[in-house]
Amino acid sequence: MMGTQVKERLKTKILVDGGDPEETRRMKSLLGFVDGQTTNPSLIAKNPEVQHRLATGHKFSLEEQEQEYKRIVQQISPLVGDGGVSIEVFADLKTTSEQMLVQGQDMFSWIPNAYIKYPCTHKGLDAAQMSVSQGIRVNITLCFSQEQAAGVYAATKTTKVPVYVSPFIGRLDDLGENGMDLIKNIQKMYQAGDGHVHVLAASIRSIDQLLACFALGVELVTVPTKVLEAWAAKGFPMPDQDFIYKGVDVAGNALRPIPYRSINLNQPLDAFDLRHDLTKKGIEKFVEDFENTIRQSVSVR
Ligand code: E4P
């Protein structure tokens, strides 16, 4: 199949998971389209220009880093379709929801198609709640449990703008749990909802996971260039009716299934337990990667 025929056969929107506009351009010519893009502090730290400047001994001030992030997403913005460009706020475990909101408001003004990424914590969801009430589109990242996804639903229930939730497949697989089950469980749970939260499958590491997302009819996927290139090299295969996701780790061992839980979506946000160790670790890793690009060890806002 040619890249140009891919779009017609897909229900799922494809976003590029990266921090380099050059990659986005390459993926656009490979697939014939790119629906959107997700970025995060680790991906921005890996941007070739950022890396080049770091290699010359340069460390960024907070303002320079912010300008750099803005410059990168402004280049990506016109290249993508209606999936938009997700921009992540800089938050450590102490950052308040108001501090996140101030950043989100600013970042939302950088480009016309921004989605603001907040972590799936109580503070992140408070910031998301305030954001959607101001018409700011959000993408709730670092989601690792069905209950967290229920929290995203509850926090944004009154929204008139689209909301994304990003469940991370690969990082659950790394723990031996079947990350695809989380996607399936959230989709099933949301069937009882009003459809205002859109599932954006993230942390995709293999063609198999990508095909499993297509087979499930996931609304959006964000995919690293490496996986898209591998998929293209195989001629853009699609899952057929008999497609079965293997759900194995790199050694071929079966991943542990994640059972479905019956959760009432129509509860207040406070009713949900949003704690997950991987969310905490994810925030810490983003902070670490971000701070490595900064002039001295400064605490993020
Ligand atoms: C995208 O929004 C996520 O930040 C990304 O998919 C994380 O992927 P990783 O788990 O491979 O870092």
Side-chain angles (χ1 to χ4, degrees), residues 243-282:
F243 176 84
I244 292 173
Y245 177 64
K246 289 189 202 78
V248 290
D249 64 16
V250 275
N253 301 314
L255 295 164
R256 283 190 302 282
I258 302 176
Y260 178 76
R261 289 180 51 202
S262 174
I263 297 176
N264 175 8
L265 285 173
N266 295 312
Q267 300 177 77
L269 175 57
D270 286 344
F272 300 109
D273 182 359
L274 303 177
R275 284 167 304 175
H276 199 289
D277 203 37
L278 286 180
T279 305
K280 186 168 166 276
K281 284 199 177 115

Side-chain angles (χ1 to χ4, degrees), residues 211-231:
L211 297 189
C213 288
F214 294 159
L216 283 176
V218 174
E219 271 192 82
L220 308 109
V221 289
T222 185
V223 195
T225 305
K226 224 167 82 181
V227 176
L228 288 174
E229 283 171 336
W231 181 48

Side-chain angles (χ1 to χ4, degrees), residues 58-247:
H58 183 82
K59 288 268 181 167
F60 295 83
S61 68
L62 274 178
E63 291 68 31
E64 279 176 327
Q65 173 64 292
E66 196 173 281
Q67 284 312 309
E68 197 56 28
Y69 200 172
K70 186 172 178 175
R71 192 185 63 77
I72 291 167
V73 297
Q74 284 181 339
Q75 286 181 44
I76 294 170
S77 166
L79 302 172
V80 305
D82 61 3
V85 182
S86 292
I87 312 172
E88 187 153 345
V89 298
F90 301 112
D92 62 18
L93 294 167
K94 294 196 208 98
T95 309
T96 66
S97 47
E98 287 76 18
Q99 287 169 323
M100 288 189 217
L101 175 67
V102 170
Q103 292 182 59
Q105 287 168 326
D106 180 39
M107 288 167 155
F108 195 67
S109 73
W110 290 356
I111 50 172
N113 50 353
Y115 279 71
I116 303 304
K117 275 173 111 177
Y118 294 113
C120 201
T121 58
H122 270 290
K123 288 180 200 155
L125 289 189
D126 283 344
Q129 194 158 43
M130 294 186 274
S131 296
V132 295
S133 73
Q134 299 174 15
I136 294 174
R137 293 176 292 269
V138 299
N139 173 357
I140 309 305
T141 189
L142 294 166
C143 172
F144 295 98
S145 76
Q146 206 190 312
E147 195 156 348
Q148 286 180 321
V152 174
Y153 182 94
T156 56
K157 220 181 329 194
T158 55
T159 184
K160 292 194 172 54
V161 288
V163 169
Y164 294 162
V165 62
S166 293
F168 278 36
I169 301 167
R171 294 193 196 184
L172 282 167
D173 286 10
D174 290 344
L175 287 187
E177 294 181 33
N178 189 342
M180 276 316 299
D181 283 349
L182 175 63
I183 304 282
K184 229 189 286 178
N185 295 343
I186 295 173
Q187 280 186 315
K188 185 172 171 190
M189 175 176 72
Y190 280 174
Q191 273 168 18
D194 59 14
H196 79 271
V197 186
H198 306 270
V199 175
L200 196 183
S203 188
I204 291 178
R205 313 260 174 82
S206 68
I207 300 179
D208 233 30
Q209 289 168 338
L210 181 63
L211 297 189
C213 288
F214 294 159
L216 283 176
V218 174
E219 271 192 82
L220 308 109
V221 289
T222 185
V223 195
T225 305
K226 224 167 82 181
V227 176
L228 288 174
E229 283 171 336
W231 181 48
K234 285 186 179 286
F236 303 107
M238 296 286 171
D240 56 26
Q241 284 190 329
D242 307 321
F243 176 84
I244 292 173
Y245 177 64
K246 289 189 202 78

